Every structure is written in structure tokens, then in C-alpha cells.
Amino acid sequence: NAGVTQTPKFQVLKTGQSMTLQCAQDMNHNSMYWYRQDPGMGLRLIYYSASEGTTDKGEVPNGYNVSRLNKREFSLRLESAAPSQTSVYFCASSEAFQGNRDQPQHFGDGTRLSIL
Amino acid sequence: KNEVEQSPQNLTAQEGEFITINCSYSVGISALHWLQQHPGGGIVSLFMLSSGKKKHGRLIATINIQEKHSSLHITASHPRDSAVYICAVRRQGAQKLVFGQGTRLTINP
């Protein structure tokens, strides 16, 4: 059972280049998330998708776009990469959050992205 | 000030010691999560709790809603427990989690 799969695992870009990080989950989860993790800081939410067909901004959305292609897939795009976007990116998924009934998030292995 | 503060930031202990990691938060929450990030980078969910105490193997998580504080305990610690432990909270009515900075735990043999 693969869980949450992210590709690629590593990428080096030059400033101004574009790329798309791919994420797919096989747990039939409604909600999917993109986070970035930087040294000395907690995980920060970039965008999330509460259900297929919807996306919302998180804490740090500037410079990113997302697409919820279908229930399984949620991609993150950097249109014009900047050195400040050097980070480790995590995709996660969970069952839909309803009221006070919380759900665990399942994480991919991360994408280590360097922007030169 | 961060909404979620963890202490200590780094902790080194000897195998067999009892470990406590603390998490304090400043907002009303509906749930608190503890997660573990392995040295290789993978993140797994350990606990979700909104009251009381939960136990899984050698790990115990407690929460005091009135004091806005949670602790993660590890009994009989082992080198394989070496990881970053992350606390996260879900504000009441919110869809999103807010994460602490993590506590890096190293257990020496």
C-alpha cells in the first residue's frame, strides 16, 4: 500500500525556472495539503484542498499554484522559482475533517528542492 | 510569539531514560496531534487527542485543555526513538493544523 507518493524526491532549479511537484494518494482521502519545511521553522501550509474541485490558500501561498486534478492527485507548481523557495516540500492527505472529529494526516516522503 | 511552542528544542539522553517533550499553545483547539519525523525525513502521525491521555506501546501523550499544554512521554527510550517530534493543533472550527517547530531527540546507546 503506497499511501502518499511524491515526485520527484530531489530537484535543483535555476532562478526563474518553473516546475511542478506531483502528489498522489491511494487512500481515497478527500483532503490534501502541501507544506514546506524550513530549518528552525515548523511545517507551514502552502495550499490545501478540502475536497475534489476545491483549493484554498494556507499561510504561505505566494509564488505557488495548485491543481486538484482528481481525488487522488494534488500538484504544486512554482511558476518562476526563487531562492527563497528552497525548502523541503511535503504533501499530505486525510479523511475530511468534520466538526470536532479530527483525522490523522498521512505524509509523503518529501521533495528536497534547491533553487540556485 | 508562535501559537504552538515546544520545549526543549533539542534533547539528548541515554538509552533507557524516561523522556518528556512539552507542547504549549495559545488558542482554543479542537484537537492536538503528535507526529514523528524520522532522520530520513518521513513524517508519521503518533497521536491525536482532545482530552485526557493516550498510550501506544512505550509512548504516552497527555493533554490539559485548561492549561493549554500537552506532553509526550517515552518510557525505556531506545536509540531507534531518535527523531524529531512535532506537535500540531487544530484551532476550533479551522480546517488547518498549526505546527510547532519540533523537538529533536537523540538517544545514545
Side-chain angles (χ1 to χ4, degrees):
Chain A
N1 199 356
V4 179
T5 303
Q6 289 183 235
T7 56
K9 294 194 185 312
F10 303 94
Q11 185 71 49
V12 178
L13 294 177
K14 293 182 180 177
T15 298
Q17 286 185 315
S18 62
M19 82 161 295
T20 300
L21 307 185
Q22 306 285 355
C23 176
Q25 52 92 10
D26 61 5
M27 294 171 283
N28 202 36
H29 286 162
N30 285 304
S31 301
M32 297 186 74
Y33 311 84
W34 275 106
Y35 295 97
R36 60 179 289 174
Q37 185 178 42
D38 301 295
M41 305 187 75
L43 288 157
R44 291 183 294 168
L45 183 66
I46 305 170
Y47 272 93
Y48 70 103
S49 172
S51 61
E52 187 179 355
T54 69
T55 60
D56 285 287
K57 294 179 180 179
E59 297 171 68
V60 288
N62 291 344
Y64 305 96
N65 286 303
V66 290
S67 295
R68 183 75 184 266
L69 303 168
N70 47 56
K71 194 171 186 179
R72 288 188 65 248
E73 298 172 288
F74 188 38
S75 63
L76 178 72
R77 182 160 178 85
L78 287 70
E79 289 292 350
S80 179
S84 61
Q85 294 177 303
T86 294
S87 189
V88 181
Y89 291 84
F90 287 96
C91 177
S93 71
S94 71
E95 297 284 358
F97 170 69
Q98 294 174 348
N100 285 327
R101 192 167 179 163
D102 213 340
Q103 302 290 343
Q105 292 192 8
H106 301 259
F107 286 81
D109 290 336
T111 295
R112 192 172 295 273
L113 183 61
S114 294
I115 316 294
L116 305 178
Chain B
K1 191 176 190 300
N2 293 334
E3 288 185 16
V4 181
E5 296 276 357
Q6 290 185 233
S7 63
Q9 289 189 3
N10 295 282
L11 178 57
T12 300
Q14 291 300 120
E15 183 173 356
E17 287 189 33
F18 181 80
I19 303 298
T20 296
I21 298 170
N22 297 299
C23 176
S24 297
Y25 53 91
S26 57
V27 295
I29 67 169
S30 57
L32 183 142
H33 296 238
W34 281 104
L35 306 101
Q36 179 191 55
Q37 185 169 23
H38 299 291
I43 300 172
V44 296
S45 179
L46 297 175
F47 295 104
M48 287 186 307
L49 62 166
S50 55
S51 65
K53 177 179 174 178
K54 288 192 175 180
K55 184 175 189 291
H56 185 250
R58 295 180 294 105
L59 273 59
I60 303 164
T62 64
I63 189 168
N64 185 318
I65 295 292
Q66 287 73 28
E67 294 186 4
K68 293 186 166 62
H69 181 268
S70 175
S71 293
L72 177 68
H73 304 286
I74 305 175
T75 61
S77 59
H78 189 276
R80 65 174 174 266
D81 298 324
S82 297
V84 175
Y85 292 84
I86 301 169
C87 172
V89 302
R90 189 183 302 280
R91 292 185 204 147
Q92 287 169 344
Q95 289 278 352
K96 300 166 279 191
L97 293 176
V98 178
F99 292 80
Q101 294 181 342
T103 295
R104 184 175 300 276
L105 174 66
T106 303
I107 304 295
N108 293 320

